[in-house]
Amino acid sequence: MTIKLPAITQVPEESIAPLNPRHQVQVVPRPGRHRRPMTATKTQKDKASKAKKVLLTALTVVVLLGILVTAGYFIKQLIDSKYFFCKSAVKFIPIDQACDGKNDCAGGEDEITCLSTFTVNTTFPVRLTSARHVLQVYNPGQGWRSVCRDDWTEQHTQTACKQLGYTNNPQSSGVTVDKLIPSMKTGPFTAVRPMTGTTPIHEATMDRAVCRSGSVVSLSCSDCGQVGSQDRIIGGTDAFIEDWPWQVSLQVGGNHVCGGSLVSPRWVVTAAHCFSGSKKELSRWRVVSGRTYMSTLGGSYVDRIIMNGNYDAAQNDYDIALMRLSSPITVGVARKPVCLPPKAFGLAAKSTMAVTGWGYLEENGKVSPSLQKASIPLIDQSVCSSPIVYGSAITQRMICAGFMEGKVDACQGDSGGPLVHFTSSRWHLVGVVSWGVGCGRERRPGVYCNVEEMLNWINTVIEKNP
């Protein structure tokens, strides 16, 4: 039987000839070069998912950083409220040991940045007087003299206003002698000597029996006390900082302690009693300005706190202090100084006053979260010092304002804040919230430090601490 074998097909050897015989270019393989692997094209959904993950990661990092920064801020506030850090010795001491008269840090570091006191025993030689803001200069031998407009120049205006403190677009005008208050009509008078524009005004004058020009100088030194528009304190209503831009909050450790009033871009008037106890170390304080709603963030640092050296805590007398900011505030709609009053302002009893602050809304209550205002009348000094009100507790350095039936009043937390009066298109700082019995009680009105009586002290402190 014959077995039929399958036919064997011969496979030709693999040709190394190129597929395209027309191009006889020899291809030399290059080591390390490989064909890129095939990958599937990313869909739009995949791209969105990856972007979402990146965004979530970024947000998480931001949130964590925010938490850390916030925690760090509050931890620092807590530490600062309890301890003073001695940089030279690199140690903490209890805050009560700072500014206690003893050197607890190396080199007395804890006794350097402290509150100071200042007592005036001289007369500041330049002032404005009466509701017409008449310029007067002082001579130890002859007392106060009104300055005639004779030979007065714009440079004299600049010089006089610079002596008086906050200056912005100073202007002068004339008031005829016959329109002065009776006690000023007959002098004494003085006038500047020619070519004395840059000489301090009180040194640039000579006596005159009468003013040749028939008028005296009236000064407007700045834009103080002007607001863009025109009552909670006890019985008050909500307010906006733009209407009371001189109002500031004085804070320690992020807590509101007292109110205050800007009287220049760098100086704040407040009450001396705000610095009782362990509140004498400067670095603890912040001055928050330009806010309607109470805020603990930000604020200006303080490099001077000067308390009136005659302050009597037992009698609440001379209850005034000045704080100097480390750097001036930027004057604007929500931050602007109030005007200091002229001497002999002549406010009559029942003149309308305004008091502002974040103090308690009721006796033994809570601090208000938003600024409050109240309109109250000035009370005659004889009434306030009568036996049925405060009696002999009222001194010449105090004024009273409010209603004898109570209800509307300043309260705790308003201390140091402004009592202001509006006249001649400007607000003037008449008083500083000082003390009272309770809040809004019958026959117990608010008592304020009389700013007019403190002008000599205020002007002297500011001049000596430029």
Side-chain angles (χ1 to χ4, degrees):
M1 184 174 179
T2 303
I3 299 174
K4 190 174 182 180
L5 297 175
I8 299 175
T9 306
Q10 187 168 350
V11 179
E13 293 183 3
E14 185 177 357
S15 173
I16 62 171
L19 295 178
N20 188 347
R22 290 175 297 178
H23 301 282
Q24 301 295 323
V25 180
Q26 185 175 358
V27 178
V28 181
R30 297 181 183 179
R33 293 186 60 127
H34 305 280
R35 186 185 299 273
R36 184 176 297 170
M38 297 290 289
T39 55
T41 303
K42 291 185 178 179
T43 65
Q44 195 68 27
K45 185 176 180 181
D46 293 333
K47 292 180 180 179
S49 178
K50 184 176 181 180
K52 187 175 181 181
K53 289 179 180 179
V54 171
L55 182 60
L56 286 173
T57 302
L59 285 174
T60 302
V61 171
V62 170
V63 170
L64 287 174
L65 286 175
I67 292 173
L68 289 174
V69 170
T70 303
Y73 171 81
F74 285 107
I75 290 172
K76 184 180 184 302
Q77 293 281 47
L78 180 62
I79 292 173
D80 288 346
S81 68
K82 302 291 184 182
Y83 299 97
F84 177 86
F85 181 64
C86 302
K87 297 176 182 177
S88 55
V90 194
K91 70 173 184 178
F92 288 94
I93 62 171
I95 192 67
D96 291 344
Q97 292 181 16
C99 301
D100 64 352
K102 300 177 182 178
N103 294 340
D104 298 292
C105 296
E109 181 184 338
D110 57 314
E111 299 299 318
I112 297 174
T113 57
C114 301
L115 173 148
S116 61
T117 60
F118 181 76
T119 304
V120 175
N121 53 15
T122 58
T123 300
F124 193 77
V126 182
R127 74 180 186 184
L128 302 180
T129 189
S130 81
R132 292 183 176 273
H133 294 79
V134 174
L135 176 65
Q136 291 188 325
V137 295
Y138 183 76
N139 180 292
Q142 298 181 332
W144 290 101
R145 297 162 297 162
S146 300
V147 180
C148 299
R149 282 231 357 134
D150 310 357
D151 301 314
W152 188 262
T153 67
E154 185 177 340
Q155 182 60 60
H156 287 113
T157 298
Q158 296 276 355
T159 301
C161 281
K162 185 177 180 180
Q163 287 183 262
L164 288 166
Y166 175 41
T167 300
N168 182 52
N169 190 28
Q171 298 176 1
S172 68
S173 59
V175 177
T176 56
V177 172
D178 61 358
K179 290 185 179 179
L180 297 175
I181 59 176
S183 61
M184 295 173 63
K185 286 183 178 180
T186 57
F189 299 105
T190 189
V192 294
R193 299 187 303 274
M195 309 299 291
T196 57
T198 58
T199 305
I201 293 302
H202 63 288
E203 298 176 358
T205 60
M206 55 185 178
D207 292 343
R208 288 277 173 85
V210 295
C211 295
R212 293 199 313 264
S213 61
S215 62
V216 294
V217 176
S218 173
L219 287 184
S220 171
C221 289
S222 72
D223 59 349
C224 65
Q226 296 178 330
V227 294
S229 64
Q230 261 330 118
D231 273 293
R232 233 156 258 271
I233 289 189
I234 301 291
T237 58
D238 291 341
F240 298 98
I241 196 65
E242 291 81 4
D243 295 326
W244 317 96
W246 43 84
Q247 173 80 58
V248 297
S249 167
L250 311 185
Q251 302 182 4
V252 172
N255 295 314
H256 172 80
V257 175
C258 278
S261 306
L262 288 164
V263 292
S264 82
R266 200 173 180 184
W267 286 97
V268 172
V269 169
T270 187
H273 76 259
C274 293
F275 307 102
S276 60
S278 61
K279 302 186 184 74
K280 296 179 173 62
E281 210 283 313
L282 302 185
S283 67
R284 304 187 66 197
W285 289 92
R286 298 289 182 275
V287 175
V288 179
S289 58
R291 307 285 177 85
T292 294
Y293 297 96
M294 181 58 63
S295 172
T296 60
L297 299 177
S300 300
Y301 289 86
V302 174
D303 63 13
R304 292 275 198 287
I305 298 177
I306 303 171
M307 192 166 68
N308 192 296
N310 292 318
Y311 171 59
D312 184 339
Q315 303 297 322
N316 303 301
D317 205 3
Y318 292 91
D319 190 10
I320 194 167
L322 279 163
M323 302 179 82
R324 191 179 77 173
L325 308 183
S326 298
S327 58
I329 55 101
T330 300
V331 175
V333 175
R335 293 179 177 88
K336 182 176 291 188
V338 65
C339 299
L340 289 170
K343 193 68 177 175
F345 203 12
L347 293 179
K350 298 184 180 180
S351 295
T352 300
M353 307 284 132
V355 59
T356 52
W358 291 275
Y360 291 6
L361 305 184
E362 59 185 3
E363 192 172 335
N364 300 317
K366 297 179 179 179
V367 171
S368 170
S370 63
L371 185 63
Q372 303 292 305
K373 64 178 179 180
S375 294
I376 52 178
L378 185 66
I379 296 175
D380 189 270
Q381 194 82 343
S382 63
V383 173
C384 197
S385 59
S386 66
I388 64 170
V389 188
Y390 288 124
S392 60
I394 301 300
T395 73
Q396 188 177 349
R397 274 75 55 189
M398 302 174 191
I399 55 175
C400 301
F403 297 95
M404 296 305 292
E405 62 270 26
K407 303 303 181 184
V408 181
D409 195 8
C411 202
Q412 286 92 343
D414 293 320
S415 288
L419 177 74
V420 294
H421 176 70
F422 186 75
T423 184
S424 302
S425 303
R426 296 174 185 270
W427 288 96
H428 294 80
L429 183 65
V430 174
V432 175
V433 179
S434 180
W435 64 280
V437 175
C439 300
R441 294 187 187 181
E442 185 178 359
R443 294 202 304 274
R444 294 295 183 266
V447 183
Y448 302 79
C449 180
N450 188 346
V451 174
E452 187 179 323
E453 288 293 318
M454 296 291 106
L455 288 173
N456 188 65
W457 182 82
I458 292 171
N459 287 327
T460 304
V461 169
I462 293 176
E463 181 193 46
K464 290 183 176 296
N465 296 271

